[in-house]
Amino acid sequence: MPFFKRLKLADYLILAVLAGLIGYVVLTIEGKLNYEWRWELIPNYILRYREDQEVWFANLLLQGLIATIRISIYASVLALILGTILGIARTAENLTVRMLARTYLELLRNIPPVVIVFIFFFFLSQQLIDALNLNSWARGIARSENAAIWEFFFGDMRRFPGLVSGVIVLALFESAFVGEIVRAGIQSVPKGQREAARSIGMTRFQELRHIVLPQAFRKIVPPMANQFITLIKDSSIISLISIQELTYKTVELVASTRLIFEAWITTAAFYFVICFSLSMLFRRFERRN
């Protein structure tokens, strides 16, 4: 047990205080709020057995967790693409390009994400969905024979337009932070290397591709990993526009069963497990590099 061997007396005291605090909160909820814990019901809302078909299926909380993972992955990829473009634009030689990129970054970084979500949803999202005719396309896919393949990647295709809205608004918001991380990475590369690249006839694109970006991305792995974990937590915000991810499903569960503390504690545990696991994974990746 190497982990417990590393613990000292102070660590045990901290663990004891935390255990006492948790016990106090539980007793307070039971006593003052007269709350009856019903933890035995929670597993049924994660996985449920359907007796008529003799199969297990994902219930509310697991459905929301899967949706959160999907949205986080797609939004992270899009935010990385947009953020890289913005970071490169922030270091461009053209003043207009730099100012446009900075305006976008400063605007999104200094407006609360909830406001951004509502502005995008009510003023841009529906127009984009109508312009691309996503509603009728998604309904057609839902009725097709290949619907299972699409549902594996995107979930219920009838809710695909909502998924698109959630992914885009998250990516737009997070790309502002990714852009600043990329800019800092690019500017950390010594100017002498860029000047040497130009002296041997490299174009700006070749300089970025072969010299600057490979070094920059190695340096920005830690803050980029942290931003990806932040994006997972920020994904709960899009529940406000009825995107059926984990937080939205938890609200539904609480409203229908009154399992207030059990549902929210379980949801918090899901977020913690995902974010902590990614943190450990990225830490190992950093050590190898």
Side-chain angles (χ1 to χ4, degrees):
M1 302 290 286
F3 173 76
F4 291 101
K5 288 181 180 179
R6 292 198 300 267
L7 295 179
K8 298 181 179 180
L9 178 60
D11 300 314
Y12 285 110
L13 288 175
I14 292 173
L15 290 174
V17 170
L18 287 175
L21 181 61
I22 292 172
Y24 173 76
V25 171
V26 171
L27 292 175
T28 302
I29 292 172
E30 289 181 350
K32 293 185 179 181
L33 298 182
N34 199 21
Y35 188 81
E36 181 182 353
W37 295 92
R38 294 179 292 167
W39 282 105
E40 69 278 2
L41 300 179
I42 289 296
N44 197 43
Y45 290 101
I46 300 174
L47 272 175
R48 187 172 181 179
Y49 184 71
R50 183 171 290 172
E51 295 182 357
D52 56 340
Q53 299 181 7
E54 297 184 347
V55 294
W56 290 91
F57 71 98
N59 210 348
L60 285 174
L61 292 177
L62 188 55
Q63 291 172 7
L65 178 62
I66 294 170
T68 293
I69 293 172
R70 283 196 189 103
I71 291 168
S72 299
I73 291 173
Y74 300 147
S76 296
V77 172
L78 185 55
L80 179 61
I81 295 171
L82 293 175
T84 301
I85 295 172
L86 288 168
I88 293 172
R90 285 280 280 117
T91 60
E93 296 178 353
N94 188 290
L95 178 61
T96 303
V97 173
R98 290 203 311 273
M99 291 306 297
L100 286 173
R102 182 172 182 178
T103 301
Y104 175 89
L105 292 172
E106 295 296 341
L107 191 65
L108 267 71
R109 289 173 63 207
N110 294 288
I111 295 178
V114 174
V115 178
I116 294 173
V117 167
F118 280 116
I119 289 175
F120 176 81
F121 183 72
F122 288 110
F123 293 100
L124 299 173
S125 175
Q126 195 56 51
Q127 287 76 6
L128 178 64
I129 289 171
D130 291 340
L132 297 176
N133 199 24
L134 285 182
N135 279 313
S136 59
W137 177 81
R139 285 195 297 267
I141 291 293
R143 291 192 294 264
S144 69
E145 296 179 356
N146 297 324
I149 299 174
W150 289 92
E151 288 177 358
F152 176 79
F153 290 102
F154 303 109
D156 188 350
M157 289 304 296
R158 292 171 297 180
R159 298 191 177 96
F160 180 76
L163 176 72
V164 172
S165 297
V167 167
I168 292 177
V169 71
L170 264 182
L172 289 175
F173 176 70
E174 297 295 335
S175 66
F177 297 91
V178 173
E180 280 297 278
I181 294 172
V182 173
R183 176 199 58 79
I186 291 174
Q187 292 181 338
S188 69
V189 177
K191 290 183 179 180
Q193 295 191 28
R194 285 178 276 179
E195 291 172 356
R198 294 179 188 179
S199 67
I200 61 174
M202 280 190 174
T203 64
R204 169 72 171 167
F205 176 76
Q206 290 173 329
E207 172 197 332
L208 285 170
R209 180 184 175 186
H210 299 290
I211 306 297
V212 177
L213 289 182
Q215 296 183 71
F217 276 114
R218 279 197 296 270
K219 294 180 179 180
I220 65 177
V221 167
M224 197 71 78
N226 181 67
Q227 193 60 42
F228 178 59
I229 293 172
T230 301
L231 184 148
I232 295 174
K233 294 182 288 185
D234 288 345
S235 66
S236 61
I237 298 172
I238 62 175
S239 64
L240 297 173
I241 54 175
S242 300
I243 308 300
Q244 299 196 8
E245 45 71 69
L246 182 55
T247 301
Y248 183 91
K249 291 291 188 180
T250 305
V251 172
E252 278 191 340
L253 178 59
V254 170
S256 60
T257 64
R258 308 305 298 171
L259 296 171
I260 301 171
F261 293 105
E262 295 91 338
W264 285 114
I265 291 172
T266 304
T267 296
F270 278 144
Y271 279 115
F272 176 80
V273 168
I274 294 173
C275 295
F276 184 74
S277 300
L278 287 173
S279 178
M280 293 296 101
L281 179 65
F282 289 134
R283 188 175 301 175
R284 180 172 296 183
F285 180 76
E286 289 172 30
R287 289 173 182 172
R288 290 183 177 180
N289 289 274

